[in-house]
Amino acid sequence: GLIRRHRSEGDRRRSYVTLVRDLSDELHPVAAGLRAARVVFVCTQNSARSQLAASLWNDTSPVPATSAGTRPAPEV
């Protein structure tokens, strides 16, 4: 429920991913007694989801985050 996908209005061939802003206000990293040098968010293609997650994390946490993919797409 953090992102919403929708098709282009023109030819409906392109897909777009939009961050659901109402939910992002409720996201806050919580310290669980663990110390991490960085956080890595991984999704299959690293074309949108993990990058959005890393961006949200970096906006709210002092611990840096990056994104990765198990089968990276050629472009975002």
Side-chain angles (χ1 to χ4, degrees), residues 4 8 15 21-22 28 30 33 37 46-47 55 59 62-64 72 75:
R4 183 180 63 228
S8 65
S15 292
R21 287 285 177 188
D22 296 340
H28 301 287
V30 178
N46 192 34
S47 61
S55 177
D59 284 347
V63 178
E75 60 186 25

Side-chain angles (χ1 to χ4, degrees), residues 11-34:
D11 59 12
R12 312 236 358 120
R13 289 187 294 172
R14 294 179 188 209
S15 292
Y16 296 96
V17 177
T18 306
L19 179 64
V20 178
R21 287 285 177 188
D22 296 340
L23 294 176
S24 64
D25 294 337
E26 298 174 14
L27 297 176
H28 301 287
V30 178
L34 303 174

